Amino acid sequence: MEENPTLESEAWGSSREWLAPREARGAPCSSPGPSLSSVLNELPSAATLRYRDPGVLPWGALEEEEEDGGRSRKAFTEVTQTELQDPHPSRELPWPMQARRAHRQRNASRDQVVYGSGTKTDRWARLLRRSKEKTKEGLRSLQPWAWTLKRIGGQFGAGTESYFSLLRFLLLLNVLASVLMACMTLLPTWLGGAPPGPPGPDISSPCGSYNPHSQGLVTFATQLFNLLSGEGYLEWSPLFYGFYPPRPRLAVTYLCWAFAVGLICLLLILHRSVSGLKQTLLAESEALTSYSHRVFSAWDFGLCGDVHVRLRQRIILYELKVELEETVVRRQAAVRTLGQQARVWLVRVLLNLLVVALLGAAFYGVYWATGCTVELQEMPLVQELPLLKLGVNYLPSIFIAGVNFVLPPVFKLIAPLEGYTRSRQIVFILLRTVFLRLASLVVLLFSLWNQITCGGDSEAEDCKTCGYNYKQLPCWETVLGQEMYKLLLFDLLTVLAVALLIQFPRKLLCGLCPGALGRLAGTQEFQVPDEVLGLIYAQTVVWVGSFFCPLLPLLNTVKFLLLFYLKKLTLFSTCSPAARTFRASAANFFFPLVLLLGLAISSVPLLYSIFLIPPSKLCGPFRGQSSIWAQIPESISSLPETTQNFLFFLGTQAFAVPLLLISSILMAYTVALANSYGRLISELKRQRETEAQNKVFLARRAVALTSTKPAL
C-alpha cells in the first residue's frame, strides 16, 4: 500500500531543513580516530531526530554515502520504515501531534485492508478490543459533572477538585446501595402481601409490649417532632427495621442485601485506593523530576478553545506552587542544627499531648451526653414541652456536631507549628479530625450498646428474660436506626446553617466593608480537610445505620446531591483560591484510605449485632430467632441435601485449610514477583544513570572532535 506523499510531507516536514549544505561542512579530515558522525549518532537525540523527521539522514551520512556507495542511506531507510511501522498506539509514540494523526490515519487505512484477512480468532480479538475501548469511552462520557470538576481544578486547585471527585464517588455508592435495597428489601416486602401493622397495646409477651403509634389527636408540633426524630408515624414505616414482617425469604434477602452493599463498597473503594496509590508513589518518588516533568510533559496538545487552555494553565500553575512550597520547607529542614532539631521535636511532642487531651475531653463529653439523654427524657418537664424534648433527643448529635465544629480549627492552628510540609500538615489534620469524628461515633455506639445489653451483663434484671433491655428499648434496632437518622439529618441542617448564616454573610461583610471590619472578616478559603472528613463521617453514619434504617442510603443520596450544588455555589460565590495548596496525589490515596477505615469501623457494630445480640421479639423480620444470623442456617436446612452438604462443606476445615494454603502460595508468589519487579526497576534506574553519564561523555567527545576538525 502506497502512502500519500503530501500527507507525509505535511506530517513530517522536509528533510532539507535538518541537513546543512555540503560546502558549509567542508571536506572530511584525514586525521585518524572515530569520525564526528559516528560519535554523534550514538547520542539518544539521534533516535529522537528520526522520530521527529524520518526522512533525515544521520550525522555525516552524505560523506559516508560517497565512501560506501549508498549503503548508509539504505540501512537508515530500513530503520526508519521499521519505526514507522511501530505497533504501539499513536498516543504512546514520542512524536509531534501532527505526526501522530498521520500515523493513526495510516494504521486505520491498513486495518481496513487487512480486516478481512487473518483467522477468526484474530478478528474476534480485534473486535473485542475495540468494543472494550468504546465501552470505556462511553462510561467516561457518562460521568456526571466532568466539566464542573475540570473548572474547579483549574480555578481552585487539584486539592479542591479531589473533594468534589470524592463526593461524586460517594454518591455512586449510595445510588448502588439504594437500588439494591429496593430490589432485595422493598420489592419482596410488597410482593409477599401487605405488611402487618404494629402490635396493639393489648398484646403482651414476656418481653413487654410495643406500640409505636401515638394515641389521640396529634398536633402540628408533634408531627414536626416526629419528622425530625423518626418517631410516631415514621417509626412504623419502611424507613426503619421494625416495619418489615417476619418472613423467611424476606429475612434472607434483607441480610444478603447488607452483605452485598458492604462487599460492593469494599471493592470499589479498594479499586479507587489502588489507582490513587499509583499516582502517590509516582509523585512521592524521585523517578520524575517534578519541574521538568510538568514543564515539558504536562501539557495536553489536544486542547481546543481558550477556556480549556486557561484551565490547564492554572492546573499546572497550582502544581508548580505545591512543589515550590514543599521544596522551601525541605530546604529549611535540611539546614537545621542539632539544637533546632531538638526544639522542633519538643514542640511536636507538647502539641501532640495537647491534641490527646482535647480528644479525651471530647470523647468523655459524648459519652456523658448519650448517657444523660435517657434520664432527661423521663423528666415530666421534658415530656410536656415538645421543643425541649426534641432538644434532649438531639443532645448526642448536638454535642458531636459542636465538638466537630470547634476542634478542627484548633488542629489547623496547631499543624503549622510542627514544621511539616503543606502535604504533611494536611495528612496530620486529616488524621486528627478523622479520629475525632469516627471515635465520637464509636463512643456513641458504645453508649447505645451499654444501654441495649445492660453493659454486657446478660444476667442483669432488665436483660435476663430476652437478652436485651426490653423495658427501655422494646425494639432496639429501630432505636439505633433513629439515632443514625438524627445524626444524618442534623449534619445536613448544620451544613445548611453554616452556609446560609456564616459563609454568605461573611462574604457580604467582606465586600461591603473594605476597612478594618472587612479585613477582620477576611477572605474565605475552601477547607478541604474539614469538608472531606464531613463526607466520610456522613458516609460512615450511613454504613452503620443502613441495616437498621434501610432507606438511609436513599436519604443520603438526596443529601449528597444537595450538598454538591450547595458547595459548588459556596465555592464560586464566597471562596477564593487557597493561598497555600497541597499535593493532590496524596489526597487521591489518603481520602479513600480514610473512607476504608470508616467502612471497617462501621462493620464492627453491624457484625456484632448480627451474630451476638438477640433480635427484638416484637418487631423486625428476625423476631423469634436466637440471633439474626440464625435465620441463615434455618433457611439452608430447607434446601436439597446436596446443596446443604456443599454449603456446610464451605464452613469446614477441609475447605478452609486448602484455601488458606493456596492463598498463602499466591501471596508468596505475588511478593516474589513484586520483589523481582523492584529489582528490575532498580536496575533500569542504574541504566538510566549510566546512559546520562554516557550522554555527557559523548557530548564531550563531540566537542573535542569538533575542535580537531575546524571544517565541521
Side-chain angles (χ1 to χ4, degrees):
M1 176 181 177
E2 295 182 359
E3 299 177 358
N4 189 352
T6 305
L7 180 61
E8 186 160 349
S9 175
E10 294 176 355
W12 300 100
S14 175
S15 61
R16 295 187 180 91
E17 298 176 1
W18 294 90
L19 294 176
R22 166 80 175 185
E23 294 78 3
R25 297 167 57 181
C29 182
S30 60
S31 59
S35 63
L36 177 61
S37 61
S38 63
V39 175
L40 293 179
N41 281 325
E42 298 178 13
L43 290 172
S45 58
T48 305
L49 184 64
R50 292 199 301 272
Y51 275 124
R52 291 184 175 179
D53 197 343
V56 175
L57 297 178
W59 293 92
L62 294 179
E63 304 162 16
E64 296 175 359
E65 183 182 354
E66 295 176 357
E67 297 175 358
D68 57 12
R71 289 192 301 271
S72 299
R73 178 182 291 272
K74 182 178 179 181
F76 182 75
T77 304
E78 294 177 355
V79 174
T80 303
Q81 294 299 326
T82 302
E83 292 175 347
L84 285 174
Q85 297 175 359
D86 198 317
H88 295 288
S90 302
R91 63 178 178 271
E92 297 181 3
L93 297 175
W95 295 352
M97 185 62 65
Q98 195 173 7
R100 294 182 186 179
R101 294 194 185 101
H103 182 267
R104 184 165 55 251
Q105 292 175 5
R106 284 195 301 273
N107 288 342
S109 302
R110 189 183 301 114
D111 291 342
Q112 292 178 0
V113 173
V114 303
Y115 184 75
S117 61
T119 63
K120 184 179 295 185
T121 305
D122 296 336
R123 291 196 297 270
W124 277 105
R126 190 184 306 113
L127 182 62
L128 182 62
R129 183 174 62 254
R130 292 182 177 179
S131 301
K132 186 178 179 180
E133 292 177 356
K134 290 181 179 179
T135 303
K136 288 183 178 179
E137 292 178 359
L139 292 177
R140 195 179 299 112
S141 63
L142 291 177
Q143 289 183 349
W145 308 314
W147 166 245
T148 302
L149 293 184
K150 289 183 180 179
R151 184 185 173 193
I152 291 172
Q155 188 166 344
F156 296 93
T160 307
E161 180 186 357
S162 63
Y163 164 80
F164 287 90
S165 177
L166 180 64
L167 178 57
R168 183 177 63 181
F169 174 71
L170 293 179
L171 184 63
L172 171 64
L173 294 184
N174 285 276
V175 169
L176 292 177
S178 302
V179 172
L180 287 176
M181 180 270 302
C183 296
M184 301 179 67
T185 303
L186 288 180
L187 194 59
T189 301
W190 295 109
L191 290 179
D202 53 343
I203 297 179
S204 181
S205 70
C207 295
S209 60
Y210 176 58
N211 184 23
H213 286 176
S214 303
Q215 303 296 328
L217 183 63
V218 180
T219 62
F220 175 76
T222 305
Q223 294 282 6
L224 182 61
F225 169 79
N226 293 336
L227 177 64
L228 296 177
S229 62
E231 298 180 5
Y233 62 93
L234 286 180
E235 188 169 349
W236 195 267
S237 68
L239 182 61
F240 292 110
Y241 165 93
F243 169 81
Y244 297 92
R247 299 168 184 167
R249 293 185 179 179
L250 176 62
V252 173
T253 57
Y254 194 99
L255 192 58
C256 291
W257 163 72
F259 284 109
V261 169
L263 182 61
I264 291 175
C265 292
L266 176 63
L267 294 178
L268 291 178
I269 294 173
L270 286 177
H271 179 268
R272 186 178 178 89
S273 301
V274 170
S275 60
L277 178 61
K278 295 177 182 178
Q279 302 175 9
T280 303
L281 293 178
L282 184 62
E284 296 296 336
S285 65
E286 297 181 355
L288 296 176
T289 304
S290 302
Y291 305 110
S292 60
H293 168 64
R294 285 174 172 81
V295 171
F296 296 107
S297 304
W299 189 255
D300 185 0
F301 288 92
L303 294 176
C304 298
D306 295 338
V307 178
H308 297 82
V309 171
R310 285 196 296 269
L311 285 177
R312 189 60 185 171
Q313 289 174 346
R314 291 172 182 170
I315 291 173
I316 297 176
L317 174 63
Y318 274 104
E319 292 177 351
L320 290 175
K321 287 177 62 178
V322 172
E323 296 294 338
L324 292 173
E325 289 177 358
E326 297 196 353
T327 301
V328 171
V329 177
R330 292 193 190 98
R331 288 181 179 178
Q332 292 176 354
V335 297
R336 287 175 185 158
T337 62
L338 183 60
Q340 292 174 341
Q341 289 281 4
R343 185 167 59 252
V344 168
W345 281 105
L346 179 61
V347 171
R348 290 175 180 175
V349 170
L350 295 177
L351 291 176
N352 280 281
L353 290 176
L354 176 61
V355 169
V356 170
L358 292 174
L359 291 175
F363 298 154
Y364 178 77
V366 173
Y367 183 81
W368 172 84
T370 308
C372 290
T373 301
V374 179
E375 299 177 2
L376 293 175
Q377 287 176 345
E378 298 176 355
M379 297 178 61
L381 180 61
V382 174
Q383 296 292 335
E384 295 174 359
L385 299 177
L387 186 60
L388 185 58
K389 184 179 179 181
L390 180 64
V392 170
N393 282 343
Y394 270 88
L395 185 60
S397 302
I398 293 173
F399 201 91
I400 291 176
V403 167
N404 293 332
F405 185 77
V406 172
L407 288 187
V410 177
F411 296 156
K412 282 186 292 184
L413 293 176
I414 291 175
L417 303 177
E418 296 177 301
Y420 293 114
T421 61
R422 178 62 174 170
S423 297
R424 188 68 61 84
Q425 292 178 25
I426 294 294
V427 169
F428 274 100
I429 294 173
L430 283 172
L431 284 175
R432 290 161 181 167
T433 309
V434 74
F435 186 75
L436 170 66
R437 287 181 176 266
L438 297 184
S440 301
L441 184 60
V442 170
V443 172
L444 174 63
L445 293 173
F446 176 76
S447 302
L448 293 174
W449 169 84
N450 197 21
Q451 297 176 17
I452 294 170
T453 63
C454 301
D457 185 10
S458 59
E459 299 298 328
E461 181 181 356
D462 294 339
C463 298
K464 186 175 182 179
T465 304
C466 301
Y468 62 93
N469 191 352
Y470 66 92
K471 294 183 178 180
Q472 292 184 355
L473 307 171
C475 186
W476 63 266
E477 296 93 344
T478 297
V479 173
L480 187 56
Q482 288 172 346
E483 289 296 331
M484 300 301 109
Y485 171 79
K486 288 186 287 187
L487 285 176
L488 180 69
L489 194 60
F490 191 78
D491 186 63
L492 176 61
L493 296 176
T494 303
V495 171
L496 293 174
V498 170
L500 298 177
L501 303 179
I502 296 179
Q503 292 180 339
F504 283 104
R506 181 180 172 185
K507 179 65 176 180
L508 294 175
L509 183 63
C510 183
L512 297 176
C513 303
L517 188 58
R519 289 193 301 270
L520 180 63
T523 58
Q524 302 179 67
E525 296 181 2
F526 193 81
Q527 303 296 333
V528 178
D530 295 343
E531 302 293 344
V532 167
L533 267 300
L535 290 180
I536 296 175
Y537 168 76
Q539 188 60 44
T540 305
V541 169
V542 171
W543 282 329
V544 172
S546 58
F547 185 82
F548 311 104
C549 183
L551 295 184
L552 206 59
L554 182 61
L555 297 178
N556 202 39
T557 302
V558 178
K559 173 191 171 183
F560 279 167
L561 280 173
L562 295 175
L563 192 63
F564 183 90
Y565 290 105
L566 178 64
K567 292 298 181 182
K568 176 187 172 184
L569 178 63
T570 304
L571 182 67
F572 287 103
S573 301
T574 65
C575 297
S576 60
R580 301 183 64 188
T581 57
F582 66 97
R583 195 189 302 272
S585 59
N588 292 333
F589 170 68
F590 190 77
F591 292 165
L593 185 63
V594 177
L595 192 62
L596 194 63
L597 177 63
L599 180 61
I601 292 176
S602 63
S603 64
V604 174
L606 179 60
L607 294 177
Y608 187 88
S609 302
I610 290 175
F611 288 99
L612 296 179
I613 302 180
S616 299
K617 309 301 181 183
L618 299 174
C619 65
F622 302 97
R623 66 186 76 171
Q625 300 289 340
S626 59
S627 67
I628 294 177
W629 179 255
Q631 183 65 45
I632 299 299
E634 183 178 333
S635 301
I636 292 176
S637 62
S638 62
L639 297 175
E641 185 177 357
T642 305
T643 307
Q644 292 183 37
N645 295 334
F646 174 74
L647 293 176
F648 283 119
F649 170 74
L650 296 180
T652 60
Q653 296 180 355
F655 175 78
V657 173
L659 180 63
L660 180 61
L661 291 176
I662 294 174
S663 302
S664 302
I665 293 172
L666 291 177
M667 186 178 298
Y669 171 76
T670 305
V671 171
L673 191 63
N675 291 334
S676 64
Y677 284 158
R679 289 192 296 269
L680 180 60
I681 291 173
S682 301
E683 182 64 26
L684 291 175
K685 288 181 179 180
R686 287 193 293 268
Q687 290 182 9
R688 186 187 62 184
E689 296 174 358
T690 305
E691 290 294 332
Q693 296 173 359
N694 292 340
K695 185 183 294 186
V696 175
F697 170 75
L698 292 174
R700 291 176 179 174
R701 286 292 306 275
V703 173
L705 289 173
T706 304
S707 62
T708 58
K709 294 183 179 182
L712 292 176

